[in-house]
Amino acid sequence: MAKIEKIELRMVDLVPKVKRTDAIQSFVSQETPIVTITDSDGATGTGYSYTIGTGGSSVMRLLADHLAPRLIGRDADQIEAIWHDLEFATHATTIGAITAIALAAIDTALWDLRARKQNLPLWKLAGGAKDRCPLYTTEGGWLHIETQALVDDALEAKAKGFTGSKVKIGKPHGSEDFSRLSAVRKALGDGYEIMTDCNQGFSVDEAIRRAERLRELDLAWIEEPLPADDIDGHVRLSNSTATPIAVGESLYSIRHFREYMQKGGASIIQVDVGRIGGITPWLKVAHAAEAFDMPVCPHFLMELHVSLVCAIQNGKYVEYIPQLDELTGAKMRIENGHALAPSEPGIGIDWDWDAVKARSIAEFTTAIVK
């Protein structure tokens, strides 16, 4: 039984490759906490999570002061027990983003360690449902992008085999959103999926109104139309439209997902490893969604989510937003618009450690040892 002997903490701040705007915010920075765990056999596992520009320093202090020290001497393979112990240790700060982001980095590192020691890629260790999954792209659909550029990006994605494109909505008037989406539908035809994302920008009545206006465009889904904690509002909206409603990016507990599923507040689940607190709770949400016949189309983190979507039967899409290129060697493999499940043991991310160390912020670089 190998015990945890060392935890290394780093944070890298990444600048997005393109300008990213939506209905309520701009995504100008990606703070990336990175946790590496070493056990008494000398084996290592690395996990990470992210912010969209704020809170990274708080995540790192929570890791260094409260969570990582509790790992020393623990059996690294008792992932379920460790996750629950750490959650309980921080119960006064849960449920919320800061704690979930910190838990996610640790939990993912433990799964990476387990997979490496068992010489298995994560997608097989966690289920092994399929070896590839379709991609849709978001990078060409941000809210500030002009209509023709939206169309051009979608045409390029379709030519590469991508199954769909996401377009941000939330312009001051619904007619603007309708015009932009109509242009994409006209150019791409009925066989190409158009996903939309509101980023919690609407009231219930406005969301119902806009969903009705967009109904004829046969959208794949309307994502985060309302504040994420407004479950009853999502139920009203879901009952008023045939267009699927997607949630999950801003949910931090398996119980929140349970309520959405039970009440019919959504029909597509976008559980995010970095927001739910790691792979351990992610798999629970995904399997619960299968019981409700709901597809899982996770938000962001494509380099990690490809393995998890391939692990489960109801994994449907991975969202294409490159984010780790500056910190990795081999990139996610893509063939005909599909992401291929990594064949290497672990979570499938080829960290370039020279790049990681060179870009780590010194004040947040910490080693906790036995």
Side-chain angles (χ1 to χ4, degrees), residues 238-303:
S238 294
N239 289 338
S240 74
T241 180
T243 303
I245 303 301
V247 301
E249 171 184 344
S250 302
L251 299 182
Y252 304 100
S253 165
I254 61 174
R255 295 167 189 85
H256 288 166
F257 281 98
R258 180 193 66 191
E259 289 186 79
Y260 268 98
M261 294 178 201
Q262 288 178 332
K263 293 183 177 182
S267 52
I268 293 174
I269 300 303
Q270 296 187 300
V271 58
D272 179 327
V273 168
R275 303 292 176 86
I276 194 64
I279 293 169
T280 297
W282 192 99
L283 288 169
K284 294 175 182 180
V285 172
H287 293 316
E290 184 179 4
F292 283 89
D293 294 320
M294 293 182 180
V296 172
C297 308
H299 164 259
F300 206 41
L301 293 180
M302 69 175 195
E303 295 90 347

Side-chain angles (χ1 to χ4, degrees), residues 69-107:
R70 292 177 177 271
L71 296 173
I72 297 296
R74 297 293 301 265
D75 177 356
D77 210 34
Q78 288 191 287
I79 298 176
E80 180 83 14
I82 289 172
W83 193 92
H84 282 282
D85 288 347
L86 294 182
E87 185 197 33
F88 183 78
T90 56
H91 66 90
T93 63
T94 56
I95 297 166
I98 298 299
T99 303
I101 291 167
L103 286 171
I106 288 175
D107 188 72

Side-chain angles (χ1 to χ4, degrees), residues 36-333:
T36 299
I37 296 173
T38 303
D39 71 11
S40 54
D41 291 334
T44 64
T46 297
Y48 72 109
S49 53
Y50 72 99
T51 79
I52 62 169
T54 58
S57 58
S58 299
V59 172
M60 297 307 293
R61 288 262 54 93
L62 184 61
L63 283 166
D65 296 345
H66 302 286
L67 296 180
R70 292 177 177 271
L71 296 173
I72 297 296
R74 297 293 301 265
D75 177 356
D77 210 34
Q78 288 191 287
I79 298 176
E80 180 83 14
I82 289 172
W83 193 92
H84 282 282
D85 288 347
L86 294 182
E87 185 197 33
F88 183 78
T90 56
H91 66 90
T93 63
T94 56
I95 297 166
I98 298 299
T99 303
I101 291 167
L103 286 171
I106 288 175
D107 188 72
T108 303
L110 289 170
W111 276 89
D112 188 47
L113 177 60
R114 173 187 281 179
R116 289 174 181 273
K117 294 193 76 169
Q118 294 189 24
N119 199 35
L120 285 172
L122 174 64
W123 70 276
K124 287 187 176 180
L125 181 66
K130 47 190 173 287
D131 65 2
R132 65 194 61 209
C133 54
L135 291 165
Y136 74 90
T137 180
T138 294
E139 283 292 73
W142 300 99
L143 196 62
H144 67 278
I145 295 175
E146 297 296 327
T147 300
Q148 188 57 52
L150 292 178
V151 170
D152 292 343
D153 184 81
L155 286 169
E156 182 179 352
K158 184 178 181 181
K160 292 178 179 178
F162 281 53
T163 51
S165 293
K166 181 186 287 182
V167 177
K168 300 286 183 173
I169 61 176
K171 289 290 188 179
H173 196 276
S175 61
E176 296 176 81
D177 287 333
F178 182 81
S179 177
R180 284 156 57 86
L181 292 167
S182 294
V184 176
R185 174 59 75 211
K186 181 179 179 180
L188 276 294
D190 293 335
Y192 190 74
E193 296 285 15
I194 301 175
M195 297 78 173
T196 62
D197 190 353
C198 317
N199 293 99
Q200 307 181 76
F202 299 139
S203 66
V204 179
D205 290 338
E206 183 65 16
I208 291 173
R209 178 188 179 199
R210 295 206 185 199
E212 176 61 23
R213 180 73 186 275
L214 298 173
R215 180 174 57 85
E216 67 184 76
L217 298 178
D218 190 27
L219 302 176
W221 67 65
I222 297 174
E223 179 178 332
E224 283 204 315
L226 311 172
D229 55 2
D230 185 3
I231 299 177
D232 290 341
H234 280 86
V235 173
R236 274 187 60 197
L237 174 61
S238 294
N239 289 338
S240 74
T241 180
T243 303
I245 303 301
V247 301
E249 171 184 344
S250 302
L251 299 182
Y252 304 100
S253 165
I254 61 174
R255 295 167 189 85
H256 288 166
F257 281 98
R258 180 193 66 191
E259 289 186 79
Y260 268 98
M261 294 178 201
Q262 288 178 332
K263 293 183 177 182
S267 52
I268 293 174
I269 300 303
Q270 296 187 300
V271 58
D272 179 327
V273 168
R275 303 292 176 86
I276 194 64
I279 293 169
T280 297
W282 192 99
L283 288 169
K284 294 175 182 180
V285 172
H287 293 316
E290 184 179 4
F292 283 89
D293 294 320
M294 293 182 180
V296 172
C297 308
H299 164 259
F300 206 41
L301 293 180
M302 69 175 195
E303 295 90 347
L304 178 54
H305 280 141
V306 59
S307 293
L308 293 175
V309 169
C310 287
I312 60 172
Q313 185 63 37
N314 56 326
K316 188 171 183 179
Y317 289 117
V318 166
E319 180 176 23
Y320 181 79
I321 303 181
Q323 63 159 359
L324 292 179
D325 288 357
E326 297 171 38
L327 301 180
T328 57
K331 313 307 179 197
M332 187 175 77
R333 294 188 290 274

